[in-house]
Amino acid sequence: RLAVLLPTGSGKTVVFSHLAAEQHARGIRTLVLAHRDELIQQAAGKIRAVAPHLNVGVVKAERDEHHDADVIVASIQTLAGPKRREAIRGIGLVIVDEAHHAAAPTYMDVLGHFGCFDRTPTAGFTATMKREDGGLAEVWEEIVYSRDILEMIVDGHLVDVRGKAVKVEGLALDDVKTRAGDHQAGELAQALDDSGAADVVADAYLEHAADRPGVIFTPTVDTAKSMADVMNARGLRSATVWGDMPKDERSATLKAYAAGDIQILSNCMVLTEGFDAPWASCAVIARPTKSAALYVQMVGRVLRPWKDKADALVLDVMGASTRHKLASLMDLTEREMAAPEDGQSLAEAALK
């Protein structure tokens, strides 16, 4: 059970698509596991693009396209049902997308069923091999390949990134309770609202990123909506996406963002994985977090290269916090180096 660690935007899906194609040439049938619809569609589409000769089937909800498929891309939630996974046979390789989730009980059950702990070769791909409640060492035996974000920046595969602290007076993070190793979402949202964080964020966006397409990450749907409302009131065309949003409405919103009709997307934990918008160049972390893994996923959304995109900007919402260390740009790299100064890029700090 081997893992590959690559920064967000560096082509994990392309890599494992080639792996599945190579294994098919050896007569091996591959199962790809993912936990979100966006990731499932992305993986299936990329495998078809890399290897058009392969029959790629999707197993998710009412879709059950495994009978003649060379590669099956399946929802982990669907395979949680014993009947659905028992119907899939002849798997010689299992690939886990976003492999940092693999220690969860549902994954463990599915991996065990397909023999991943005793007979079936298994490969996991992720940008961050960190899970707040642990357990990943029981799944992944060795990281066999990794690239640091600074290597990817220097090689031009990702853009450089700089951070700017957005200090919100009255945001007392020490008063926010912790759950599962991070700030409790509801209490954090209340603290953001009580401190008037949305107005401060809007002012910072106008000052530092007025011409940048961006993504705002918040702790709750209500906070995401209120952030978008304040942005719109300041003349920054914004919209909100959330998990239970009607599918057609969400699709229309994402298309408007891609077309440039919307400048800023505000969301609650929806766009952290499987969201590909390389033109986006500003991430607003209005969800201060102690989780390095979550921080890496959020910032990773804006690191992909795009025409005329010189770098990415991260606006980090900061409050008074003396007891807890918040994740920061330093969590993007494994390299030992001095922390970037406010406004300094990660690559610039690495050269100090």
Side-chain angles (χ1 to χ4, degrees):
R1 302 185 303 280
L2 308 177
V4 174
L5 191 59
L6 291 170
T8 299
S10 57
K12 293 185 293 295
T13 312
V14 174
V15 174
F16 72 65
S17 295
H18 281 283
L19 175 59
E22 289 179 1
Q23 294 306 296
H24 174 262
R26 299 173 56 196
I28 294 173
R29 194 182 196 208
T30 296
L31 172 66
V32 179
L33 301 175
H35 71 292
R36 284 190 175 175
D37 184 59
E38 290 89 350
L39 294 169
I40 292 166
Q41 301 307 325
Q42 191 179 84
K46 196 67 71 176
I47 295 167
R48 292 185 183 111
V50 166
H53 61 289
L54 296 185
N55 181 8
V56 180
V58 171
V59 173
K60 176 187 180 296
E62 70 283 352
R63 298 179 68 177
D64 205 23
E65 305 158 358
H66 65 83
H67 298 286
D68 301 318
D70 303 312
V71 180
I72 302 162
V73 183
S75 160
I76 191 72
Q77 292 88 346
T78 297
L79 296 192
K83 287 185 178 179
R84 296 297 292 272
R85 63 182 182 237
E86 286 166 6
I88 299 173
R89 301 179 181 278
I91 298 299
L93 171 68
V94 174
I95 292 172
V96 181
D97 195 7
E98 304 294 355
H100 55 285
H101 294 293
T106 302
Y107 275 90
M108 297 292 277
D109 288 346
V110 173
L111 293 174
H113 171 81
F114 286 103
C116 298
F117 295 105
D118 51 23
R119 65 181 186 278
T120 307
T122 307
F125 292 78
T126 182
T128 172
M129 194 54 79
K130 297 173 183 175
R131 180 179 167 87
E132 299 313 312
D133 51 359
L136 285 171
E138 298 174 23
V139 182
W140 305 114
E141 297 173 292
E142 184 180 357
I143 296 174
V144 293
Y145 186 79
S146 65
R147 291 292 300 275
D148 190 79
I149 188 174
L150 282 167
E151 295 177 81
M152 303 300 284
I153 289 170
V154 169
D155 291 346
H157 299 301
L158 298 174
V159 299
D160 199 2
V161 55
R162 62 187 71 247
K164 194 75 181 172
V166 179
K167 296 178 181 176
V168 180
E169 299 296 333
L171 178 57
L173 294 176
D174 284 351
D175 296 335
V176 177
K177 291 179 181 177
T178 295
R179 179 181 295 168
D182 203 2
H183 299 302
Q184 198 275 332
E187 287 206 4
L188 179 57
Q190 190 62 55
L192 289 165
D193 290 343
D194 291 346
S195 62
D199 290 307
V200 180
V201 168
D203 289 341
Y205 207 102
L206 283 168
E207 180 181 356
H208 302 292
D211 60 340
R212 290 177 182 259
V215 185
I216 303 175
F217 295 94
T218 71
T220 66
V221 175
D222 286 342
T223 313
K225 291 179 177 178
S226 62
M227 287 272 180
D229 288 343
V230 174
M231 290 285 180
N232 280 311
R234 302 294 178 85
L236 295 163
R237 300 181 315 281
S238 305
T240 309
V241 292
W242 62 96
D244 294 331
M245 187 178 191
K247 202 167 185 179
D248 291 346
E249 186 180 343
R250 182 162 152 185
S251 177
T253 301
L254 294 176
K255 285 181 180 177
Y257 185 58
D261 299 328
I262 294 170
Q263 182 181 354
I264 302 166
L265 283 181
S266 185
N267 83 107
C268 165
M269 305 301 291
V270 173
L271 306 179
T272 52
E273 296 171 338
F275 173 63
D276 190 358
W279 59 89
S281 65
C282 180
V284 179
I285 311 301
R287 198 259 179 266
T289 179
K290 293 181 282 182
S291 167
L294 175 57
Y295 189 88
V296 167
Q297 293 289 351
M298 291 188 289
V299 173
R301 299 304 114 197
V302 297
L303 299 184
R304 288 180 172 87
W306 191 248
K307 58 183 180 181
D308 302 324
K309 179 176 172 180
D311 61 10
L313 174 66
V314 177
L315 298 180
D316 267 317
V317 174
M318 310 293 286
S321 179
T322 56
R323 291 184 297 156
H324 308 300
K325 177 187 177 295
L326 295 178
S328 69
L329 287 188
M330 287 298 292
D331 290 294
L332 300 178
T333 178
E334 297 295 326
R335 185 176 300 184
E336 291 189 10
M337 51 178 275
E341 298 172 5
D342 197 42
Q344 185 180 42
S345 80
L346 194 65
E348 290 167 352
L351 294 174
K352 286 197 298 187

